[in-house]
Amino acid sequence: MKIEPRMDLTELAQHMGRATPAEARRMRELLLESPRGRTEDFTGAEWAALVLRAAAGGGEGAQPAAPEPDP
């Protein structure tokens, strides 16, 4: 799928798996920040990380998850 400002959010949500329209909008923002031209240019791990960021609403300014306490 070509990464562009007019991406079909319904198609993008399907491409993400089970995503809400808000998550698809956030994913589009994240994709537009990347230098890649197509969604297929991401590795599986990179794509999964983007899906999680989109679902969490996290972006460049998002706070990282709290570290796990030492056992």
Side-chain angles (χ1 to χ4, degrees):
M1 172 180 238
K2 185 175 180 182
I3 298 171
E4 58 188 349
R6 294 179 161 222
M7 294 173 82
D8 181 325
L9 293 179
T10 302
E11 184 180 353
L12 181 58
Q14 291 171 350
H15 200 59
M16 293 169 67
R18 290 190 206 167
T20 66
E23 291 168 342
R25 275 191 299 280
R26 182 63 190 133
M27 177 62 105
R28 179 177 57 193
E29 293 171 10
L30 294 171
L31 292 171
L32 289 170
E33 292 172 4
S34 81
R36 298 189 173 118
R38 299 192 61 80
T39 57
E40 296 84 1
D41 295 341
F42 292 90
T43 66
E46 290 170 329
W47 184 257
L50 283 172
V51 169
L52 291 174
R53 282 180 62 196
E60 292 299 316
Q63 296 295 319
E68 301 260 335
D70 289 334

